[in-house]
Amino acid sequence: MRPTVHDIAAEAGVSLATVDRVLNNRPGVRTVTRHKVERAIATLGYVRDVAAANLAKGRSYPLVFILPAGENSFMRGLEAEVRAAMARSAAERTDITILSVPAFDAPALAAALMEARERRPAGVAVVAVEAPEVTEAVKRLREDRIAVVTLVSDLPGSGRDHFAGVDNIAAGRTAGSLMGRFIGGREGAVAVVAGSMLVRDHRDRLEGFRAVMTEDFAGRCILPVIEGQDNPTLVEKLVGALLERQPDLAGIYSLGAGNRGLVAALEKAGREKTICAIAHELTPHSRAALVSGTIDALLNQNAGHEVRSAIRVLKAKADGLPVISAQERIRIDIFLKDNLPLEQA
Amino acid sequence: MRPTVHDIAAEAGVSLATVDRVLNNRPGVRTVTRHKVERAIATLGYVRDVAAANLAKGRSYPLVFILPAGENSFMRGLEAEVRAAMARSAAERTDITILSVPAFDAPALAAALMEARERRPAGVAVVAVEAPEVTEAVKRLREDRIAVVTLVSDLPGSGRDHFAGVDNIAAGRTAGSLMGRFIGGREGAVAVVAGSMLVRDHRDRLEGFRAVMTEDFAGRCILPVIEGQDNPTLVEKLVGALLERQPDLAGIYSLGAGNRGLVAALEKAGREKTICAIAHELTPHSRAALVSGTIDALLNQNAGHEVRSAIRVLKAKADGLPVISAQERIRIDIFLKDNLPLEQA
DNA sequence: GAATTTTTGATGTACGTAAATCAAAAATCT
DNA sequence: AGATTTTTGATTTACGTACATCAAAAATTC
């Protein structure tokens, strides 16, 4: 049976009050007494009942999510997942605030991080932009012992507690493997459409994609990257022009967002069945394009899993508890039209 | 702020004792009073604090997992996940028992279900075998209000509460899509290796695979199914013989277990690079074969996710709480060597 | 209206933990 | 050894809920 503070007191030969002082680092305990209690805790394998403690404390976990604004369907889906978590807040004792910043805007993001800091939350989850001022802001939060989780796009070197996102180099490699094999012996170059080289996830995906195409499909020509700023209108224009320049194009890898534009350009040119298109993130638009065959494979990161993971990690950090690693890894989902998950209402 | 039983009492103009009687369906409340309390509950949006209730009740959730014995790596992995959940039982208030039965043995499974019933658990999770006596046993448990979750292989028509597993028809379709595209224009037939047609998951996968090959790759010949009973030694023998009979074989879809045998036969014949092999379940052996290139793609269901899902659902059923559908869907993972998750220690 | 039955309320205890209070005991200082 | 300081223990209250007890109030029956 699970040991309680009463068992610790009996084992150590002290009172409940002393056990409480040791457990909660309150003053007024001699070192020799403290060691006695700590030994009893270790001997009995005592683990605090967090639910009981939270009940006693009336505790909740104030959390801040900092998300990019704009039309990016994936990010809107991510926001919907955060709002769903807000709806569950009474049961989960969370108190979630969303702060929005313009996409790819590092100064605004740094300012939002400082605003979040002023609220003194238990933790902050942020879709990062890799810039010195953002890294500095994250370090400030860490100095204040506010847990920080990067979401979707990481910020190496910032001291953040955890990254809730996929390994984007591996994602790019996966796209490369699928592209190479799906195209098979067919002739033609492959194009790459990115959002912005300012975010780490896009840079990593490109790196992985190029690595595999070079290693395993060395005869295949990779065209220079097109940057569409995750903007469907711009992407449609740029891809449209690409399709005119490249009558023999074999494939397109879209590693960012704005896939509405990609799909529209392919279909407008009547080449949706001849060009192999591999894109990222399952959204209503990309799902429809996968079902219709315009997109051949989608590489996805599960926004719901990422949000739940971020919350779990932030709560665990606030409680000083360990994180279950296996549960917090975000997988790279490969979707064909055959293994699509059920559509969410 | 979250309403409590005190708020219900005030809103309904009754005492705490009456609120408790209504909430817990205890006798001694007039109908008119009951309705007053129920209206107050609805008005205030009261949701029971399960953690507080469990603390008060000293409640735990006794659960029984019924798993097939044998060398099936996936099932051993599933068992490891259940044991990991047992290690977490103090924190999660579960009390988990594992019962083992011989693989594909319906009478033994039905007996194990009746044994589980005698323990009067909160719930039972079972890897099903589709047989009348198993269906009857599940119905008995349901009559006793014991929640039942089928794991990995479903049992339609049994009245079980939930299936924690993938859509196996879709899994077979996915395998068909990958097989067709990976083989591309190359000549040659495709073989299918199954474990047993006695389990629903295998039958469904075959159905899905055949459907896609017929729809999208109609020129491709599918050979008759080889049943290897999930036994690596038998699989190696049967596949070895197949490779001799079929010098131009283009691909093999292994929809069951025993993949050690498949890999060994392919490598022994020196045809691991020319035959496209698609298999199920990520295990140490299949992982190594995917990395080396003998297996071209793995379709996986996450055993950890399934076990955690089963526990969540069984606990929710025991508490009369709703199940979060999105969280309980088990995805069909597609793994190439590029998007393999980190290996678990 | 009196007797009987049912319903209701007030209260207490419990779960494990947090946190505070103050008297008593122990340790330290002079 | 006496004075002072520090440590410890006993106790109370709180969180939200479960569950039991029994007296009082209300409703029903004769």
Side-chain angles (χ1 to χ4, degrees):
Chain A
M1 197 54 230
R2 184 172 181 159
T4 71
V5 284
H6 294 273
D7 304 315
I8 305 295
E11 175 77 18
V14 300
S15 71
L16 269 185
T18 302
V19 170
D20 172 75
R21 290 182 186 115
V22 174
L23 279 176
N24 297 292
N25 267 298
R26 286 190 245 276
V29 188
R30 284 181 309 160
T31 302
V32 52
T33 310
R34 176 178 301 274
H35 284 159
K36 266 203 307 191
V37 173
E38 286 169 346
R39 271 195 306 270
I41 289 169
T43 298
L44 295 178
Y46 170 81
V47 177
R48 195 187 301 251
D49 183 333
V50 174
N54 287 344
L55 178 59
K57 288 195 282 188
R59 178 171 194 178
S60 74
Y61 300 83
L63 307 175
V64 178
F65 277 74
I66 308 183
L67 308 178
E71 293 186 18
N72 181 327
S73 299
F74 178 76
M75 294 300 170
R76 299 291 61 75
L78 193 68
E79 183 178 340
E81 292 290 344
V82 177
R83 292 198 189 279
M86 285 160 87
R88 298 194 299 268
S89 61
E92 299 183 357
R93 293 186 185 272
T94 50
D95 177 14
I96 295 171
T97 302
I98 299 179
L99 297 182
S100 292
V101 296
F104 309 128
D105 185 340
L109 182 53
L113 280 162
M114 299 315 286
E115 184 186 339
R117 178 177 168 232
E118 296 304 316
R119 293 166 183 255
R120 304 194 158 262
V124 173
V126 54
V127 177
V129 172
E130 201 164 15
E133 61 267 44
V134 177
T135 300
E136 276 313 303
V138 170
K139 282 178 180 172
R140 283 293 93 66
L141 271 78
R142 291 301 302 119
E143 280 162 14
D144 286 358
R145 295 173 170 272
I146 298 172
V148 178
V149 168
T150 46
L151 258 182
V152 181
S153 192
D154 201 7
L155 199 53
S158 65
R160 66 11 169 210
D161 292 278
H162 184 76
F163 170 54
V166 295
D167 175 343
N168 284 295
I169 290 178
R173 292 186 65 94
T174 305
S177 284
L178 284 172
M179 183 67 82
R181 298 198 66 159
F182 279 6
I183 294 176
R186 209 184 334 152
E187 300 293 332
V190 169
V192 179
V193 184
S196 165
M197 288 298 112
L198 278 188
V199 287
R200 178 136 213 128
D201 53 331
H202 292 189
R203 292 210 306 279
D204 285 349
R205 289 175 189 174
L206 180 63
E207 176 183 330
F209 184 78
R210 280 186 172 149
V212 168
M213 295 304 289
T214 302
E215 286 163 27
D216 298 338
F217 309 97
R220 188 68 65 179
C221 173
I222 317 279
L223 300 177
V225 181
I226 297 172
E227 286 191 51
Q229 304 296 326
D230 287 353
N231 178 324
T233 307
L234 181 58
V235 170
E236 182 178 350
K237 188 173 161 189
L238 295 174
V239 173
L242 168 75
L243 295 181
E244 290 188 13
R245 302 200 293 274
Q246 299 281 346
D248 292 326
L249 193 65
I252 301 188
Y253 173 40
S254 168
L255 61 82
N259 290 321
R260 257 174 290 172
L262 171 68
V263 171
L266 284 171
E267 291 176 354
K268 195 178 294 186
R271 293 169 65 184
E272 68 275 7
K273 290 294 180 340
T274 56
I275 293 183
C276 175
I278 293 179
H280 277 267
E281 317 314 356
L282 183 61
T283 67
H285 292 104
S286 62
R287 173 191 284 270
L290 189 58
V291 171
S292 74
T294 303
I295 291 183
D296 297 77
L298 269 175
L299 303 186
N300 184 62
Q301 53 188 328
N302 188 308
H305 192 181
E306 282 170 336
V307 168
R308 289 189 295 275
S309 176
I311 290 170
R312 266 197 304 270
V313 171
L314 291 174
K315 283 172 75 173
K317 291 293 178 185
D319 288 329
L321 292 179
V323 174
I324 306 176
S325 287
Q327 200 173 346
E328 306 311 341
R329 286 201 200 101
I330 312 295
R331 294 168 305 281
I332 302 159
D333 295 329
I334 300 174
F335 289 130
L336 312 178
K337 68 177 186 290
D338 306 291
N339 72 325
L340 272 173
L342 290 183
E343 202 158 5
Q344 303 202 17
Chain B
M1 197 55 229
R2 185 173 181 156
T4 70
V5 284
H6 293 273
D7 304 316
I8 304 297
E11 175 77 19
V14 301
S15 69
L16 268 185
T18 301
V19 171
D20 172 77
R21 291 184 184 112
V22 173
L23 279 176
N24 297 294
N25 268 298
R26 286 191 244 276
V29 188
R30 285 182 309 161
T31 302
V32 52
T33 310
R34 175 178 304 274
H35 285 158
K36 265 203 307 190
V37 173
E38 285 168 348
R39 273 196 302 273
I41 289 168
T43 300
L44 294 180
Y46 171 81
V47 176
R48 195 187 303 252
D49 184 332
V50 174
N54 286 342
L55 178 60
K57 289 196 283 189
R59 177 167 196 181
S60 74
Y61 300 84
L63 306 174
V64 178
F65 277 73
I66 309 183
L67 307 177
E71 293 186 20
N72 182 328
S73 299
F74 177 77
M75 294 300 170
R76 298 292 61 76
L78 193 67
E79 182 177 341
E81 291 290 346
V82 177
R83 291 196 189 282
M86 285 160 86
R88 298 193 300 269
S89 61
E92 299 184 355
R93 293 186 183 272
T94 50
D95 178 13
I96 295 171
T97 302
I98 299 179
L99 297 182
S100 291
V101 296
F104 308 129
D105 185 341
L109 182 52
L113 281 162
M114 300 314 286
E115 185 186 338
R117 178 177 167 230
E118 296 305 318
R119 293 165 183 255
R120 305 196 158 261
V124 173
V126 55
V127 176
V129 172
E130 201 164 17
E133 60 267 41
V134 178
T135 299
E136 276 311 305
V138 170
K139 283 178 179 171
R140 286 290 92 67
L141 271 78
R142 292 302 300 120
E143 281 162 13
D144 286 1
R145 294 172 172 273
I146 298 171
V148 178
V149 169
T150 46
L151 257 181
V152 180
S153 192
D154 201 6
L155 198 54
S158 65
R160 60 46 173 175
D161 292 277
H162 184 76
F163 170 54
V166 295
D167 174 344
N168 284 294
I169 291 179
R173 294 187 64 95
T174 306
S177 285
L178 284 172
M179 183 65 82
R181 299 198 66 159
F182 279 6
I183 295 177
R186 206 181 340 148
E187 299 292 334
V190 167
V192 178
V193 185
S196 165
M197 288 297 113
L198 277 190
V199 287
R200 179 132 214 133
D201 52 330
H202 292 190
R203 293 209 306 280
D204 286 348
R205 289 174 189 174
L206 181 63
E207 177 183 329
F209 184 79
R210 280 186 173 150
V212 167
M213 296 304 288
T214 302
E215 286 163 28
D216 297 340
F217 309 98
R220 188 69 63 178
C221 173
I222 318 279
L223 300 176
V225 181
I226 298 172
E227 287 192 50
Q229 305 295 325
D230 285 354
N231 177 325
T233 307
L234 181 57
V235 170
E236 182 178 352
K237 187 174 162 189
L238 295 174
V239 172
L242 169 74
L243 295 181
E244 290 189 9
R245 302 200 291 273
Q246 299 281 344
D248 293 325
L249 194 65
I252 301 188
Y253 173 41
S254 168
L255 60 82
N259 291 320
R260 256 175 290 172
L262 169 68
V263 171
L266 284 171
E267 291 176 353
K268 195 178 294 185
R271 294 170 63 183
E272 67 276 6
K273 289 292 182 331
T274 56
I275 293 183
C276 174
I278 293 180
H280 277 268
E281 317 314 354
L282 183 61
T283 67
H285 291 102
S286 62
R287 173 191 284 270
L290 189 58
V291 171
S292 74
T294 304
I295 290 182
D296 297 78
L298 269 176
L299 303 185
N300 183 64
Q301 53 189 325
N302 188 310
H305 192 181
E306 283 171 335
V307 168
R308 290 190 293 275
S309 176
I311 291 170
R312 266 194 307 268
V313 170
L314 291 175
K315 284 172 76 174
K317 290 294 177 185
D319 287 330
L321 292 179
V323 173
I324 307 176
S325 288
Q327 198 173 349
E328 307 310 341
R329 286 200 201 102
I330 312 295
R331 294 167 305 282
I332 303 160
D333 295 329
I334 300 175
F335 289 130
L336 311 180
K337 69 179 187 288
D338 306 291
N339 72 325
L340 271 174
L342 290 183
E343 200 156 7
Q344 303 201 20

